Amino acid sequence: MLKNFQGYTSSEENNWDIALRHRLTEKFSADYVSSFWDGLALVWRNNLWFYVDKMGERVVSGEYDEARHFLGLIASVRKGEDWFLIDGKGKKVGNEVFDDIYFPKGDRGDIDESEIQVRKNGKYFYIDRSGNRVMDREFDRTNVFRNGVAVVHEDGKDFLINKIGETVSDRFDTIENFSEGIAVVKRDGKEFFIRADGSEVTNARFDHAWKFREGLAQVSKGGKWFFIRADGSEITHERFDENRLFPASSFHEGFAFVVQNNDRFFIDREGRRVTKERMRSTKVSHSDIASAVKGGDVQFLVDENGNRVVEDEYGPNAIISQVRNRNHDASARVFLIREGSACKLIDSKGKKMMEDICEMPMNFLDVYIYDVTENWMTIKKGSKWHLMDLSGKQLSKESFDDFIRSFSGGGVAVFRNTGEDGIILVNTRTGKRVTCDKFYYVHDRFYRGVALVERFDERDFILLDRDGGKFPCKDPVGYIA
């Protein structure tokens, strides 16, 4: 099954949402139709909100002065000055009304979505999804529950409570969000770490502290920066001058990038310097297979251990950028090198894939590579887009004004031309248009060899394969749901 569309994907993946919202706007003569969340959209008409499903049917009784998306079969709505919860039929959940309701939501697994924060008469407290209070206490400010505890604010101080409202920590000036089960707290001008049960990670106090990543955190003391483990021990005896606010990155995939005066280098989890070359800056994240770094008056590529990938060097003004790769394959990273009028492609091992792009017969005035997908890519020359293979051979005789996207599933690129109705689908193997038909909309991936498209003239939905074969589609909504 294709993924359900939730209405918060990137602009390249939401053509279906845009097309359906346009139709619903016409159907209801609405001022606005929102994206779909949990299969429902909000419609704004005559200064009131109501809910519809993907078939364009009103599914929740009632209209509201303000309404928010359904999350977990309930939603928060407002009538007049009162906020309250409703279920999928529009029935009020619970007996109490509030000044505002704040649903917990996020992409982190430690966020507990069962407790809902509400505000009433200037105070904050928690209710469950049945609308009932989960504790008797009220606070000046609340936060979401993470790992069974929440940071609350009362009388100018932050502290932790559990889900039955018990205080489980001392009171601090501030408590930051938890990371890896540990939070940074501040009291009396010093920063240190506590666990979710309120216990201190270490008795040490620091001038500054940063959250834990991969079991390590940056701290500063006496004008020096260094890293500590979760037990409070230092990973190295080397400390770094506090010549800027954060002279090191957090650890990522076992390495951190450190700035020390004019010297820049990587350290491993034991604090050992792993970079053999002196660098002044990085151009690409060190977590990639290769990174472009500056050393002296030249740039070059290094691997994650700081070793040169290839002996080639580039001038200090050369532009080295990583080309987008929809497959997210670390072993297939491609870099575009632009130096003066010359432009070439190399892979992450320094192998030249395409040289002298600017001197090719196409006479590129400016080169911008948007995407490397399978064994083809799209390159912009001046104001035109071209479809090419990775050796620089042009796959299509046509050029286009705009490149829309490549497909998940591969084999087709989508373009658009000014003055030409609809979007254009091009087969990336043959370089030819899939069909001469014009399309208003195309879904973002192939499923079982076909994609859902809406024809520009007929304004009907059909299924289309990569070779132009057309098949009827009686239920376009069901096809992508």
Side-chain angles (χ1 to χ4, degrees), residues 327 372-377 388-391 395 428-429:
N327 296 330
V372 173
T373 304
E374 297 175 343
N375 62 345
W376 59 272
M377 60 188 168
M388 305 177 69
D389 65 21
L390 298 187
S391 68
L395 295 175
T428 58
R429 295 171 309 198

Side-chain angles (χ1 to χ4, degrees), residues 296-353:
D297 293 325
V298 297
Q299 299 185 71
F300 46 88
L301 290 175
V302 298
D303 61 19
E304 60 186 9
N305 294 317
N307 301 315
R308 290 202 187 202
V309 173
V310 66
E311 292 303 316
D312 288 2
E313 294 180 344
Y314 313 101
N317 296 320
I319 300 175
I320 303 176
S321 57
Q322 182 177 306
V323 180
R324 174 176 174 176
N325 181 358
R326 279 183 62 96
N327 296 330
H328 305 293
D329 182 1
S331 64
R333 300 199 188 277
V334 176
F335 296 90
L336 175 66
I337 315 293
R338 283 183 276 190
E339 188 169 16
S341 61
C343 189
K344 61 184 175 182
L345 283 179
I346 63 173
D347 63 18
S348 58
K349 298 186 181 301
K351 181 181 177 181
K352 297 173 183 176
M353 302 168 57

Side-chain angles (χ1 to χ4, degrees), residues 274-285:
V274 297
T275 305
K276 298 179 181 179
E277 302 277 3
R278 291 178 59 83
M279 298 172 290
R280 286 211 301 261
S281 66
T282 57
K283 299 288 284 187
V284 181
S285 170

